[in-house]
Amino acid sequence: MASRVLRRAILLVLSCSLIGGGTALLGGHLDHPEWATLAALPVLWGTIALGDWRLATASLLAVPVGWMLGRAEFNQPAADQAITAAGMMAILLTFVLVFERMRQVRDGWHVALRTDDLTGLLNRRGFRERLDAELNRARRSQATLAVGLLDCDNFKEVNDTLGHPTGDQLLQCAAAVLTGQSRNYDLAARVGGDEFAVAWPAVSPHDAEQVALRVHTTLHAALRERKWQTSFSFGIVVVSGVTTVDEAIRLADETMYEAKRGGKGRFTVRTVSTDPDAASQAGVSVPA
């Protein structure tokens, strides 16, 4: 996705440059302004490649108008004024559409940099940025935030025995489960090869346990349905107070490995408060 957006961005830059050069030619400053037609052809190619028929149409209208203006083939003042107005409108519309397309490409590039190509979830960078915002929101509202890490047990064996395409399908299946069990404002990300991360804003420790149990049950049911001999271990930590992104992820990582020490296919939920007057609470560990 990122490479596709980059190609579109490069085409946009080239299109803008060529439109600028074509506009200078349309001014009639050259002895042979009909070259404006040839100069605009790459612009048409670029705009069509970008998939915007409106931009291609506006560029196409600007070409013959500019050519006729440069050749001064219309001698009547009224005709000159009408053609000039039409040409300027076409050129202006072209620039407006180019800038709008640039905005869309910029937004697409922003999303692509923060999205995992395989699963469509947030990637590590996107998750950390969104988690930082959620931690700040939780601190301001004095709410709790559940942060979790999930790791596929024996994922290498799946790749070795069933092949990497099956491994990719397993990861996509896990991503679909996380997405299906998430609210609109929950976070789900693939932060490593077979490691996922979640963040559930404004949930109590009891609610976090219930959500984790639902995700755990649904995920392993999907694995059994496809006869994949593997499981997921994950740890959820419910944090409150002033907590950084690195600290929240570290606590979730420790909780996940605590679950793994109890056996594969388990999850553990812990409650941790950075309030000096509150003590951390041991959580619940549930087997598959």
Side-chain angles (χ1 to χ4, degrees), residues 6-189:
L6 178 60
R7 289 195 299 270
R8 293 166 71 89
I10 292 173
L11 286 173
L12 258 181
V13 172
L14 292 175
S15 296
C16 291
S17 301
L18 290 169
I19 288 176
T23 303
L25 293 173
L26 296 180
H29 298 297
L30 299 179
D31 293 335
H32 299 283
E34 59 269 19
W35 283 100
T37 302
L38 296 178
L41 291 179
V43 178
L44 295 179
W45 172 82
T47 53
I48 292 172
L50 289 171
D52 194 326
W53 65 269
R54 299 173 304 170
L55 188 53
T57 302
S59 300
L60 187 62
L61 290 174
V63 170
V65 170
W67 183 80
M68 289 185 290
L69 281 174
R71 299 278 296 179
E73 293 184 351
F74 291 87
N75 298 319
Q76 297 181 2
D80 285 347
Q81 293 176 4
I83 296 298
T84 300
M88 292 302 101
M89 288 291 291
I91 293 171
L92 178 61
L93 178 59
T94 300
F95 275 103
V96 169
L97 293 174
V98 164
F99 289 133
E100 172 63 18
R101 198 63 173 175
M102 289 179 67
R103 184 190 65 79
Q104 295 174 1
V105 169
R106 181 204 62 194
D107 293 344
W109 181 247
H110 178 85
V111 172
L113 286 176
R114 291 156 179 81
T115 303
D116 176 60
D117 288 339
L118 178 64
T119 63
L121 301 180
L122 292 170
N123 60 17
R124 181 183 294 273
R125 175 178 180 174
F127 181 74
R128 290 180 63 89
E129 290 180 357
R130 294 281 300 276
L131 179 60
D132 184 54
E134 290 299 336
L135 286 170
N136 290 333
R137 183 179 295 110
R139 184 181 66 252
R140 290 193 302 268
S141 59
Q142 298 182 343
T144 56
L145 175 69
V147 181
L149 290 179
L150 298 81
D151 182 78
C152 182
D153 303 316
N154 303 323
F155 183 68
K156 184 177 183 302
E157 294 181 8
V158 174
N159 280 333
D160 291 343
T161 58
L162 301 179
H164 288 277
T166 300
D168 289 345
Q169 293 174 16
L170 191 154
L171 296 176
Q172 291 170 336
C173 174
V177 170
L178 292 179
T179 301
Q181 296 298 321
S182 298
R183 299 166 296 183
N184 292 337
Y185 47 88
D186 288 339
L187 307 182

Side-chain angles (χ1 to χ4, degrees), residues 234-284:
F234 53 101
I236 309 294
V237 58
V238 182
V239 297
S240 61
V242 180
T243 306
T244 64
V245 171
D246 289 335
E247 180 69 7
I249 292 177
R250 183 187 67 80
L251 291 170
D253 190 58
E254 290 178 355
T255 306
M256 181 183 69
Y257 280 99
E258 179 183 332
K260 281 181 174 290
R261 285 192 294 270
K264 296 177 181 179
R266 303 171 68 94
F267 75 88
T268 298
V269 180
R270 291 175 55 202
T271 301
V272 177
S273 175
T274 57
D275 186 342
D277 297 329
S280 299
Q281 302 176 12
V284 59

